[in-house]
């Protein structure tokens, strides 16, 4: 029975990964030019995917519940520190990108057009309540965990991060694609190291709030 459950989980992960590419790639292709549409559709798609996952996988519900009840303050601090580390990586990487890609600042500015769509407080609410948690539960807790069990730690990490970057490829924005790959590798590594959804969700939320609202790069 365990073997059957494992194979079922793997099929669900492959199906979900395919759905993510089909649903999110067009969103990044056309949604960035329609910021209001982007925020609503991003939030709605993540809600639907996560509800479906948590209904299909009661083991993940139990895992998340236990994780959030255990040392939440310590995990919040770990997530915050890791977000600061990732922010530093992007801060330093920006100079490298400027040297390698002369129009990188234009690509960065195009992403920040999203801030004009909704009030800052409402964007913050979406990032905290839906987008940050939703992305980490889907990409790391569900997909990365499944692919890691099936293909091994290194392959699972690179496969999930590559898929995460692939959905951003619909934007045609090389800076966003590189940023997604870098963040995907970082949060995948962090999840493998901490084994905690709380840590990676905290990291993602703090990083999102920093780069979008508190200390943007543009």
């Amino acid at each position: 029975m365990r073997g059957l459950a494992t194979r079922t989980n793997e099929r669900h992960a492959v199906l979900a990964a395919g759905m993510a590419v089909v649903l999110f790639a067009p969103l990044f292709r056309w949604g960035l030019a329609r910021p209001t549409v982007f925020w609503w559709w991003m939030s709605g798609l993540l809600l639907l995917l996560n509800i479906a996952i948590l209904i299909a996988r009661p083991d993940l519900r139990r895992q998340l519940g236990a994780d959030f009840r255990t040392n939440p303050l310590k995990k919040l601090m770990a997530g915050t520190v890791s977000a600061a580390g990732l922010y530093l990586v992007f801060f330093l990487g920006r100079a490298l990108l400027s040297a390698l890609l002369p129009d990188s600042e234009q690509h960065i500015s195009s992403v920040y057009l999203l801030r004009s769509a909704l009030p800052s407080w409402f964007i913050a609410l979406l990032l905290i309540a839906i987008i940050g948690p939703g992305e980490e539960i889907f990409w790391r807790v569900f997909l990365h965990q499944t692919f890691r069990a099936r293909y091994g730690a290194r392959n699972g990490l690179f496969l999930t991060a590559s898929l995460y970057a692939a959905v951003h490829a619909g934007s045609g924005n090389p800076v966003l694609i590189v940023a997604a790959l870098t963040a995907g590798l970082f949060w995948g590594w962090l999840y493998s190291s901490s084994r905690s959804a709380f840590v990676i969700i905290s990291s993602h939320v703090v990083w999102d709030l920093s780069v979008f609202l508190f200390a943007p790069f543009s």
Side-chain angles (χ1 to χ4, degrees):
M1 289 296 290
R2 283 189 70 180
L4 178 60
T6 299
R7 289 194 296 273
T8 299
N9 290 343
E10 290 171 358
R11 286 196 295 269
H12 286 165
V14 171
L15 177 61
M19 288 179 61
V21 173
V22 170
L23 294 173
F24 285 109
L27 174 63
F28 281 99
R29 174 67 181 86
W30 294 291
L32 291 179
R34 301 167 179 81
T36 303
V37 172
F38 176 87
W39 289 115
W40 286 113
W41 276 100
M42 182 72 164
S43 300
L45 289 175
L46 284 170
L47 277 176
L48 289 175
L49 284 172
N50 278 273
I51 288 170
I53 289 166
L54 294 177
I55 289 174
R57 295 284 304 275
D59 59 312
L60 290 185
R61 297 200 303 270
R62 292 191 294 270
Q63 177 185 326
L64 289 169
D67 183 33
F68 274 69
R69 289 192 298 268
T70 307
N71 298 322
L73 183 58
K74 180 180 178 180
K75 291 173 180 175
L76 176 61
M77 292 176 64
T80 301
V81 170
S82 69
L86 183 60
Y87 186 92
L88 179 60
V89 169
F90 274 77
F91 181 82
L92 297 174
R94 182 181 181 181
L96 179 62
L97 271 176
S98 297
L100 297 176
L101 192 66
D103 57 349
S104 61
E105 291 299 321
Q106 180 181 346
H107 290 301
I108 293 172
S109 297
S110 68
V111 176
Y112 280 108
L113 292 175
L114 293 172
R115 291 184 301 175
S116 65
L118 298 169
S120 295
W121 68 267
F122 194 71
I123 292 175
L125 181 62
L126 292 177
L127 293 173
I128 293 168
I130 300 176
I131 295 175
E135 286 204 303
E136 289 311 307
I137 291 172
F138 178 74
W139 290 103
R140 255 61 67 178
V141 177
F142 176 54
L143 288 185
H144 180 203
Q145 187 169 234
T146 305
F147 290 149
R148 176 189 171 95
R150 176 65 179 85
Y151 301 111
R154 181 178 298 179
N155 291 337
L157 170 62
F158 280 100
L159 176 57
T160 309
S162 297
L163 287 169
Y164 187 59
V167 301
H168 291 76
S171 67
N173 185 327
V175 173
L176 184 59
I177 298 167
V178 171
L181 180 61
T182 303
L185 289 170
F186 179 84
W187 285 318
W189 165 81
L190 184 62
Y191 184 54
S192 294
S193 301
S194 67
R195 309 298 293 173
S196 170
F198 198 129
V199 170
I200 57 172
I201 288 172
S202 300
S203 180
H204 196 139
V205 168
V206 172
W207 186 82
D208 274 352
L209 292 174
S210 299
V211 298
F212 267 106
L213 301 175
F214 299 148
F217 291 114
S218 177

